[in-house]
Amino acid sequence: MASQGLFISFEGIDGAGKSTHIDALAQAFRAQGRAVTLTREPGGTPLAEKLRVLVLNDAMDAMTEALLVFAARRDHLQQLIEPALARGDVVLCDRFTDATFAYQGGGRGFNLETLSFLERTVQSVQGLEPDLIRNPDLTVWFDLAAEIAAQRLAGARSPDKFEAEPVEFFRRVSDGYRQRMTACPQRFARIEAHQTREAVWHDVLHAVQAKGWLA
Ligand code: TYD
């Protein structure tokens, strides 16, 4: 049975400025009477949040990183996302599998076919049609040049393992997102994240309204 809920993910390199807009979108849905589950990856459940601490702080090779984010994702899907979608919630998720293709695939250069295998395996969901995997209904990608993101992050709170990466890393991460969008353009809304906060919010809202999900 297809779920009645809505699954929206938010992506972008570190410093692209997604957070305030995710909160604002949650408000907008609630104002129209929708129940909203606000969550993030890696994380969203007690187990996945423990894995997040490891992934964001401990040095490890790209395969270990990929396996940990997918382990966290599996728990997150089973414990939180699928039940929320089954209830009819709007699930707003700060990052999902596109981040794995962008960071571990693009940034670290980890094998994309292995990531695709993990995606198919981890995101296969009982009740979905065979061959379908759980992916967002819409992915809002905050596209920002790596140089601008680096300027925004400079001087901010102490960086985690990813935020400490050089600008070339984030160029590869951006390329990773671009490839994911090219492979699945109808799922993505690309937002020009260098604009003023008001203009970015306008575009985010418009992307959701264009789907007919918000008045
Ligand atoms: P982020 O979402 O930016 O949270 P915060 O605003 O608290 O820094 O941090 C999550 C980091 O994890 C981000 O640098 C991207 C990285 N990440 C991966 O490398 N792979 C993944 O699959 C996911 C979901 C995140």
Side-chain angles (χ1 to χ4, degrees):
M1 201 186 73
S3 76
Q4 301 301 302
L6 276 180
F7 183 18
I8 306 178
S9 66
F10 301 84
E11 299 285 356
I13 59 176
D14 292 87
K18 347 172 221 92
S19 307
T20 54
H21 301 293
I22 301 174
D23 291 339
L25 205 55
Q27 294 271 353
F29 273 111
R30 285 181 180 130
Q32 295 191 11
R34 292 292 304 251
V36 176
T37 292
L38 205 52
T39 188
R40 67 173 180 182
E41 289 214 344
T45 67
L47 173 60
E49 289 290 333
K50 288 186 194 167
L51 296 174
R52 177 187 178 92
V53 175
L54 301 176
V55 170
L56 265 59
N57 296 292
D58 290 24
M60 59 186 75
D61 84 328
M63 189 192 297
T64 309
E65 224 170 67
L67 292 170
L68 287 180
V69 293
F70 269 114
R73 183 161 302 133
R74 179 71 182 173
D75 191 59
H76 191 206
L77 276 167
Q78 291 199 311
Q79 304 299 326
L80 192 94
I81 294 177
E82 290 302 330
L85 291 174
R87 284 196 302 271
D89 281 18
V90 177
V91 176
L92 302 182
C93 192
D94 188 345
R95 302 189 183 284
F96 197 64
T97 304
D98 299 309
T100 314
F101 279 83
Y103 280 78
Q104 281 67 51
R108 303 260 191 252
F110 185 66
N111 186 276
L112 297 180
E113 281 175 26
T114 308
L115 293 182
S116 294
F117 168 77
L118 289 168
E119 178 184 38
R120 284 195 304 278
T121 307
V122 166
Q123 292 163 230
S124 72
V125 170
Q126 248 196 341
L128 282 189
E129 285 170 41
D131 300 334
L132 273 191
I133 59 167
R134 175 65 69 197
N135 252 322
D137 299 301
L138 172 68
T139 296
V140 182
W141 173 32
F142 294 79
D143 187 14
L144 185 68
E147 292 73 17
I148 302 177
Q151 284 166 16
R152 285 189 186 174
L153 282 180
R157 65 214 162 115
S158 63
D160 64 35
K161 196 177 87 183
F162 293 101
E163 289 162 350
E165 289 285 344
V167 72
E168 304 80 64
F169 177 86
F170 289 103
R171 275 195 211 110
R172 295 195 300 274
V173 174
S174 273
D175 289 344
Y177 279 127
R178 194 160 292 108
Q179 281 176 32
R180 287 285 279 182
M181 188 175 88
T182 304
C184 208
Q186 70 287 357
R187 176 165 64 83
F188 275 83
R190 180 181 156 274
I191 306 291
E192 305 219 356
H194 64 271
Q195 304 176 93
T196 62
R197 183 178 292 194
E198 292 71 29
V200 169
W201 169 241
H202 172 273
D203 288 357
V204 170
L205 195 57
H206 182 261
V208 177
Q209 286 170 335
K211 295 277 181 188
W213 298 333
L214 268 178

